[in-house]
Amino acid sequence: MVKVCCIGAGYVGGPTMAVIALKCPTIEVVVVDISVTRINAWNSDQLPIYEPGLEDVVKQCRGRNLFFSTDVEKHVYEADIIFVSVNTPTKTRGLGAGKAADLTYWESAARMIADVSKSDKIVVEKSTVPVKTAEAIEKILTHNSKGINYQILSNPEFLAEGTAIQDLLNPDRVLIGGRETPGGQKAVQALKDVYAHWVPEDRIITTNLWSAELSKLAANAFLAQRISSVNAISALCEATGANVSEVAYSVGKDSRIGPKFLNASVGFGGSCFQKDILNLVYICECNGLPEVADYWKQVIKINDYQKSRFVNRVVSSMFNTVSGKKIAVLGFAFKKDTGDTRETPAIDVCKGLLGDKATISIYDPQVTEDQIQRDLAMNKFDWDHPIHLQPMSPTAVKQQVSVTWDAYEATKGAHGVCILTEWDEFKSLDYQRIHENMQKPAFVFDGRNVVDPEKLREIGFIVYSIGKPLDPWLKDLPAVA
């Protein structure tokens, strides 16, 4: 029986291993993590992450051929294939701070594998890692090998949160990079055989190690670039009276471009886009390619600009001050159908409003109050580092921010409503009822273009929708406060 062990029980490791266990009943899959609370959650009825369809898959396999354990060394020792899915956060200090990936967790995982292994292993990079990580890992393993043969593979994940289970069950492609040696190719085939249980052969792509690592960064950079492109156009639409939805629809009809990732919004978030582009920028700089680095930096600049532009619209619309005013924030996760708040635009929007002394009431169907308070108290790159190293949220944030479990409660008595996540339920709220319970004039700032601005204007709202023709109220106000 093939034994698979995955180090890291997060958003990538948990769902990926659950689907492998579901589709490969003859393979024993163990997910290990040093976090006792996280492993306990995976073994309970309340899984540590929210992902549609995940619970069903876990319940079908858990205890049969899918196990979650904190006994990391035992399962690494027993495994034939080890997936490493640990954090690769952006460095907060030292060389490359704010751009380079911090490989501390990767390195300690590699050293632990070398310490406990007594048989040949295939080690698979599953985290998003900078190009040439495999080389560093290979060096650690081969210099501590004690005669054991290690093969390193790169198998980047291409999951989108909110649809991760579907993405795993029916992937566009599975990418496996390995060394172009007999041993390397044999390892590639072994991993290919696992995926071949359910993925058609023509969707399993094999490349060299560096191509696989770079393909992941490049794919995320291209997707983020599309969002920044349409967001840059959204600013022009507002200035000219064009409608960004109509522009994006027309552009997306070109088969060379296609319609995906052309929704204007308050900005992109999530654990990958910004981190991967910063990583790409750093690699370009290290390889003497400053023009290429600057090109990709601009994608992040536009994303930051879009968030600050949104905050400026809110403040300038409301008589140039939100001091002491209650602002309702609907949605805190970075996108719908996930509870993940990593790099969510909501953090920067809320911080911008808090900086102008607003009081904020937040409602999100999947994000806890603890998580929101922690996110708002955290420094820029700290979110991906362990929780015990992060500061507890200061009382100042707590005084200005409240979290409710009801959209109507959040909006009661508010001067303005900011929609920051495109949860389906926000489309069907009773906006008439919301309007009646708000201060007048009542504002809606739709950062995801989920509501019909005309219908809301009929109710009496002053509406700002990103990239849509401006409400008469906003026409003469500066876009930047």
Side-chain angles (χ1 to χ4, degrees), residues 140-179:
I140 291 167
L141 291 172
T142 50
H143 283 100
N144 296 280
S145 71
K146 303 172 225 154
I148 292 165
N149 178 24
Y150 296 101
Q151 290 297 336
I152 316 294
L153 301 179
S154 172
N155 174 218
E157 54 80 22
F158 295 104
L159 306 179
E161 285 179 48
T163 57
I165 297 299
Q166 279 314 309
D167 295 342
L168 285 160
L169 293 171
N170 186 26
D172 287 342
R173 78 290 202 197
V174 169
L175 183 56
I176 304 170
R179 284 284 194 194

Side-chain angles (χ1 to χ4, degrees), residues 40 286 325 397:
N40 286 347
C286 291
K325 292 177 182 171
V397 174

Side-chain angles (χ1 to χ4, degrees), residues 6-20 29-32 38 42 49 54 66 68 83-86 126-127 157 159 168:
C6 176
I7 303 172
Y11 277 90
V12 174
T16 306
M17 294 304 118
V19 169
I20 288 178
V29 181
V30 185
V31 183
V32 296
R38 184 175 271 187
W42 279 109
I49 61 175
L54 175 63
L66 174 64
F68 297 92
F83 286 87
V84 184
S85 189
V86 297
K126 199 70 191 161
S127 329
E157 54 80 22
L159 306 179
L168 285 160

Side-chain angles (χ1 to χ4, degrees), residues 292-354:
V292 182
D294 288 346
Y295 177 78
W296 288 111
K297 259 188 219 164
Q298 194 59 36
V299 173
I300 289 174
K301 270 194 182 160
I302 287 287
N303 197 47
D304 291 339
Y305 164 72
Q306 190 75 344
K307 291 181 281 193
S308 59
R309 208 168 70 77
F310 186 85
V311 173
N312 286 333
R313 282 287 190 202
V314 175
V315 176
S316 68
S317 304
M318 300 172 79
F319 313 104
N320 232 11
T321 178
V322 289
S323 179
K325 292 177 182 171
K326 177 179 174 180
I327 307 286
V329 168
L330 299 185
F332 198 83
F334 83 93
K335 64 190 274 197
K336 72 173 184 177
D337 294 335
T338 177
D340 194 352
T341 61
R342 293 177 290 180
E343 294 283 3
T344 175
I347 293 173
D348 286 337
V349 171
C350 288
K351 282 183 172 176
L353 296 171
L354 291 170

Side-chain angles (χ1 to χ4, degrees), residues 2 31 56 86-87 106 157 203 231 269 293 369 388 416 457 463:
V2 175
V31 183
D56 293 344
V86 297
N87 276 9
W106 241 107
E157 54 80 22
R203 289 199 204 165
N231 282 344
E369 176 161 13
H388 63 270
R457 284 178 190 132
V463 184

